[in-house]
Amino acid sequence: MTLHKISKKIVGYKVLTNDNTETAPAVAEKPSLEEMHENVERPEVLLGSTYKIKTPQSEHALYITINDMVLNLGTAHEERRPYEIFINSKNMEHFQWVLALTRVISAVFRKGGDATFLVEEMKAVFDPRGGYFKKGGVFMPSLVAEIGSAIETHMKHIGMIKPEKLSDHHQQFLAEKRAEFEAQHGESDSSAFPEQAVLCNKCSTKAMVLMDGCMTCLNCGESKCG
């Protein structure tokens, strides 16, 4: 029998029996999932998408490039997450704040966690000089808001934001309402929605028309009559 000298104060004890001295079966460790964080190493190759913004406020377009990392490649948990953003244009008027904006957004991307809050924060920025309408009648309160809209489009593309889709019944209802309105007022080829439409406060699209004594949005279905 081997003797062991106890040189420290006893703080607890346990009686060994045949039951607890048997070797416990090995438990398989769950593989750790790769997540985005600020210390993640930038790979040699990133997947990128570029979005063009052309506003009536400038003759030059802006090109927004968002590069993504692919996490957990080849597994059931594979996902794309934005890593960095670049904005380029021939117009140097906004160079200083655009450069600062790209660095802050890129830092938020690399920080990890839920970065989707950026979209709502940016889309809520209003230009004191007034906003503008995009093609299709969508109102943009500022250039920053449209950059946020481009980021939203990208996040929907890679699955970070789940797009809200109308039900088939709702879409059919809006199509019937639109056909009924155009039968009474004529079709319009210059825009996605009738020329008589006004701005919808819910979806910020110039698609709200008067139908049966009630203002109804032909884009999102918002109705003043409930």
Side-chain angles (χ1 to χ4, degrees), residues 37-206:
H37 55 84
E38 56 188 346
N39 296 320
V40 68
E41 185 177 352
R42 188 186 192 281
E44 293 291 332
V45 179
L46 295 175
L47 299 178
S49 301
T50 300
Y51 302 86
K52 179 180 178 181
I53 288 180
K54 182 68 176 69
T55 76
Q57 298 177 343
S58 174
E59 61 178 323
H60 300 295
L62 268 74
Y63 296 90
I64 303 173
T65 299
I66 304 176
N67 292 328
D68 304 322
M69 281 189 65
V70 180
L71 304 176
N72 306 298
L73 181 63
T75 71
H77 302 284
E78 180 175 319
E79 60 182 1
R80 284 175 61 172
R81 287 294 179 264
Y83 182 86
E84 60 192 9
I85 181 172
F86 301 99
I87 302 177
N88 297 294
S89 176
K90 292 182 179 179
N91 184 2
M92 301 297 291
E93 177 185 359
H94 307 299
F95 174 79
Q96 183 172 260
W97 69 259
V98 165
L99 177 60
L101 188 66
T102 58
R103 290 185 177 182
V104 171
I105 295 175
S106 295
V108 173
F109 284 164
R110 290 192 288 270
K111 189 74 173 178
D114 185 7
T116 59
F117 74 92
L118 283 171
V119 171
E120 294 304 320
E121 293 293 338
M122 296 178 69
K123 288 173 67 175
V125 174
F126 287 80
D127 189 335
R129 298 174 298 177
Y132 53 88
F133 283 95
K134 288 177 57 178
K135 184 178 180 181
V138 179
F139 179 72
M140 285 294 158
S142 66
L143 177 57
V144 173
E146 187 159 7
I147 295 174
S149 180
I151 295 176
E152 179 182 34
T153 298
H154 184 76
M155 287 183 170
K156 288 180 178 179
H157 173 67
I158 64 176
M160 283 187 69
I161 296 179
K162 303 301 180 183
E164 297 180 3
K165 293 184 178 181
L166 298 176
S167 65
D168 293 339
H169 174 74
H170 205 160
Q171 291 180 5
Q172 182 180 358
F173 171 78
L174 292 179
E176 292 174 353
K177 284 293 184 181
R178 178 167 182 169
E180 181 183 344
F181 182 88
E182 291 182 343
Q184 297 176 4
H185 301 86
E187 297 182 2
S188 176
D189 298 328
S190 59
S191 64
F193 296 100
E195 294 180 355
Q196 300 91 334
V198 296
L199 187 66
C200 173
N201 293 327
K202 182 178 180 180
C203 66
S204 298
T205 303
K206 198 175 180 181

Side-chain angles (χ1 to χ4, degrees), residues 203-224:
C203 66
S204 298
T205 303
K206 198 175 180 181
M208 184 159 282
V209 297
L210 183 64
M211 295 290 298
D212 301 326
C214 182
M215 294 300 292
T216 303
C217 180
L218 299 177
N219 181 58
C220 68
E222 173 73 359
S223 176
K224 295 298 182 182

